[in-house]
Amino acid sequence: MTDTQQVQPRRSSLLHGLLSFFVPGLGQFIAGQFARGVTLLGIILALGSLSVWTIAQRARFPDYQVSTQVFLVLVIECAALLFFLIALRYILNRYLFKDASEQAFTQVGLIIFYAAAIIIVPDQLLATAGNEEALSQVFGTLGVFAAATLAGLWFWQVYDAARIGARQEPPSMIGGVLIACVLIFILGWNITQIDLPKAVREYRDTQVILGQIIWPWRTAFEFEEINVEATAKIQAPCPEGETGPPVNEPLQGESWVVVTPTCGELTERDLRGNVTLGTELTITGGNFTPGTDVNILWKNPIGNPFRPRGVGDTTIQIGPDGGFETKLNIPEAVIPDTAVGAQIHTLIVRQESAVVFTGRLSREMHLALAGMLETIMLGLMATFFGIILAIPFSFLAARNLMAPIQTTMSGVAGGLLIMIPGLWIGSLITGQVTALFGGLEGSPLLTAGTALLLVGSLGYAGWRLGSMGMQTVGDRAPDALSRTITALVLALLGAGIGYFLGLGFSRGIRSIPLSAEVAMQTETTYAIGGAILFGVLALVYAFQKGVHGTISIGIIVYAIVRTFMNIFRSIEPLIWALVGIIWIGPGPFAGAIALTIHTIAALGKLYSESIESIDHGPIEAIQATGANRLQTIIYAVVPQVLPPFISFTIYRWDINVRMSTVIGLVGGGGIGFILIQWIRQFQYDAAGLAVWLITITVAILDYVSSEIRERFV
Amino acid sequence: MLQVENLTKIYPDGTVGIRELNFTVEDGEFLVVIGLSGSGKSTLLRCINRLIEPTEGRITWNGVDVTAANQAEMRRIRREIGMIFQHFNLVKRSNVMTNVLSGRLGYTPPSWSLINRFRRDDRQRALQALERVGIPGKAQNRADELSGGQQQRVGIARALMQEPKMILADEPVASLDPVLANSILGYLEKINQEDGVTVICSLHFLDLVQRYATKVIGLRAGQLVFEGNNQDIRELSDERFKEIYGEEAERLGA
């Protein structure tokens, strides 16, 4: 301690510390560090309540009141412990350890001791904090740790307040931030329910599934079991005089079985369960694979094979010569009373050989491949439509191209005025024309194209006509007149926009429950209010700007397009997929719509940014040759943006394919759709197949896209 | 004849580009604009073909009011005014042929440009223009494969394609070394003398000005501070020089 430190601030430091001790952050606040005080109070309150919430959540029977009580008592206990340790350190430093290194040692010792104490004595702490009943509703360990840390934070801010009170320069906040981070870590650990022992303990169960997922290729192919069978016919029951079917002869080069006799009685069981065994058959066979097992099956006249039971051994080992001999009684077999004629049974000796690889792909593999193809194509289609729509938008969203576009006020007024009837006439004609070839249902692409062409061109023609006409009026007519006309037209347009905005706004807040009449009234009120508001604004603006005042129409369009792009882009494709599924129903089309919408916005932004970053020089040069705006774009802008456009497009296709697997999970078609079904049916081997296919496709795509991009950029 | 009356350009942020300029350029003149960086040379040149919209004043060229022209008229005016830039302003990723051909855009219907179509004799004309500026074999090279001097020649060829009656050259040699500078200005002089094309060129080096200019105007802070012919610039006194280039300026070489 140097002698520059004065007595006065030291005394006030105690005051500030005490203030902060009772109300966190108050000391700092009083000392003039308002933001710091409020922040500290906020942090302690937030972390305290978060602790209480977490403790209650993790307990078996959450009760917030009890949790709060127990937690508060715990904090006070921990604070008392901490206070004791700090006091101990003070005394030790004052009377025992004078050396600086020794003092540092007591500081570390204090921290270790505190940590050890809360690890060793949590039960005692908890016991004093609440009664038995209360404790059953509190998650103990977490409570102790959180309370100990919060107490630490509390003391740190007391210390902080004391120092701020003593010196004008606020000390570093690292200590407090560190303690707060520890507390957040403890809470985070508990909220995410991290349980490492459980992870180790239960890992074994996943091994089976993981094995199937990691190496699912057996599922990819079809396997067949080729069974070697030999059969013999037996008649049962055996009426007097019957001899049964002829006895088999041993065969050469083929499995055979000979049964004698070929006529006999069935095993019967009376109502008490006494069994009368049927005729004993001697079965000999040959030309089976030596050392393997064969199964004897019985097939009744109706044709259902079964494994006879209780009449002898049905699993026989083949001897080294490939033959066998065994005895078997004719088993039970229900023969209906109505059966007529000789009842011929079949004895089957079946040798089940190993499964044989057929070389054909399995059904699962076919499904997965079809799904993968669907996914790739879905991504491709979404990218394709995304590009087509993103390109015009990106030009509208490029500041450097849009900023120079200006029109006079009268031009805007006239243009907008005539554009509306232009659009209307366009849509009327479209309706008539498209009716000729069946409308939207009949030939949607043609209709959409015609509509775009007609409505667009007529709207544009209206705009041009109106703006030219109005400009001519503005140039020729007396200034006051043209100014009034411009202003009135703009006010009218403003009122129209305002009307719809008001209407939309009132409908937007309809969710507030209102009676139908009130809703109707508010709707009208808002609409008219909006109309008046916007009309007046437009009027004022128009008068202020004057007829020949220019208006940066380009920047207005730019701002609108950019805003919409940002909104659409910030909504995840997964959400768009849900919209698509509600719209279209589950399937790849819904997924394609979702991805297209997101692609337009995302590519539009990337494209427009690459347009914004081009060299302005060539634009200037091409303009200077007398090229018009279209030619300038084709010759000066397009060559410059083509490489980034291609690069971004391929990158986006890459993303879209990856994304469409995820979109499939929620019903957007493709391999994701199949994958989630297999997972739900616990067909992990098939699911593994799908995962493998996705991985391979994405890896290939990644490689190809980076290769192509390298070529172009 | 180009008449500039009262020409003023004040940028939206309040910067004065040029203020109340008045001068006349006869047909076939080689007018050099001198002045410090930021004195308004580029602004003046760009106001003449309205790449920059003048705030006030009038430009008349061969009896046509350039400042009052609408878009379609402006297109017809611009295609007769070639322009050459300090940084060449070629489309670097396009080949030389396309760059040269783009000089014909003012004569090409815009719809043709959608499929990159030009009139057949335009290609012949482009080859001739390249030959004239001394790089006949480079038509299929990409523009950024060429050296600085070659790129500026492509720029001249592009301007020649317009069959210009006037060429605006905005510091055409400022990014080139002195030897190349002479060669480039030599081409401009040749065009000026052989084809009778008016050249308005902004330059930095006084020796180049003295060698090529038939008429000189000096700008300082957007205002006309000097106007004279070649003889006047040769006899430029130190005081006049300082008027144009500011107090701290020192003559280099000369």
Side-chain angles (χ1 to χ4, degrees), chain B residues 133-151:
Chain B
V133 294
I135 43 169
K138 299 281 186 189
Q140 295 310 319
N141 288 49
R142 250 173 63 159
D144 55 2
E145 290 168 357
L146 269 53
S147 69
Q150 287 173 329
Q151 288 194 35

Side-chain angles (χ1 to χ4, degrees), chain A residues 464 615-632 634-636 639-640 643 711-713, chain B residues 46 49 51 75 78-79 81 83 85 89-94 102-103 105-106 108-110 113-114 116 118 158 162:
Chain A
R464 285 302 295 265
D615 179 11
H616 185 68
I619 296 178
E620 210 176 22
I622 298 290
Q623 265 177 353
T625 65
N628 74 354
R629 196 167 276 144
L630 177 74
Q631 289 172 322
T632 310
I634 292 172
Y635 283 93
Q640 291 195 64
R711 297 277 153 81
F712 275 100
V713 180
Chain B
R46 281 168 175 72
N49 64 359
L51 284 180
R75 193 170 175 231
R78 273 183 189 161
R79 70 186 186 188
I81 303 177
M83 192 157 187
F85 302 85
N89 287 0
L90 302 180
V91 180
K92 293 196 179 63
R93 301 188 61 92
S94 298
S102 65
L105 284 174
T108 311
S113 299
L114 282 174
N116 191 25
F118 287 94
R158 177 171 64 190
Q162 296 176 237

Side-chain angles (χ1 to χ4, degrees), chain B residues 232-245:
Chain B
D232 296 332
I233 201 82
R234 280 179 197 281
E235 294 162 2
L236 196 66
S237 66
D238 276 6
E239 291 80 62
R240 291 287 285 147
F241 179 79
K242 280 192 174 162
E243 262 181 53
I244 302 169
Y245 281 101

Side-chain angles (χ1 to χ4, degrees), chain B residues 93-242:
Chain B
R93 301 188 61 92
S94 298
N95 62 20
V96 169
M97 192 66 184
T98 312
N99 269 295
V100 176
L101 275 174
S102 65
R104 287 307 280 181
L105 284 174
Y107 297 90
T108 311
S111 54
W112 286 22
S113 299
L114 282 174
I115 52 167
N116 191 25
R117 189 172 162 203
F118 287 94
R119 288 196 176 78
R120 188 168 300 156
D121 52 342
D122 283 347
R123 292 185 182 275
Q124 203 53 46
R125 201 195 302 266
L127 289 175
Q128 281 167 6
L130 282 175
E131 209 163 313
R132 190 159 174 203
V133 294
I135 43 169
K138 299 281 186 189
Q140 295 310 319
N141 288 49
R142 250 173 63 159
D144 55 2
E145 290 168 357
L146 269 53
S147 69
Q150 287 173 329
Q151 288 194 35
Q152 192 58 295
R153 290 189 220 186
V154 176
I156 295 174
R158 177 171 64 190
L160 279 177
M161 288 297 281
Q162 296 176 237
E163 297 181 306
K165 296 202 173 67
M166 175 159 74
I167 287 181
L168 305 173
D170 184 17
E171 298 188 14
V173 294
S175 4
L176 300 175
D177 62 52
V179 180
L180 278 173
N182 261 314
S183 123
I184 292 294
L185 284 173
Y187 282 115
L188 283 181
E189 189 180 39
K190 217 165 107 185
I191 294 163
N192 173 247
Q193 284 168 1
E194 287 176 8
D195 304 357
V197 173
T198 313
V199 175
I200 301 180
C201 176
S202 58
L203 280 179
H204 267 310
F205 297 104
L206 264 188
D207 53 342
L208 292 176
V209 178
Q210 286 166 357
R211 181 161 163 200
Y212 294 102
T214 61
K215 186 180 174 181
V216 179
I217 58 173
L219 294 184
R220 187 174 171 198
Q223 279 169 315
L224 198 68
V225 291
F226 177 84
E227 191 167 4
N229 56 23
N230 190 283
Q231 196 59 37
D232 296 332
I233 201 82
R234 280 179 197 281
E235 294 162 2
L236 196 66
S237 66
D238 276 6
E239 291 80 62
R240 291 287 285 147
F241 179 79
K242 280 192 174 162

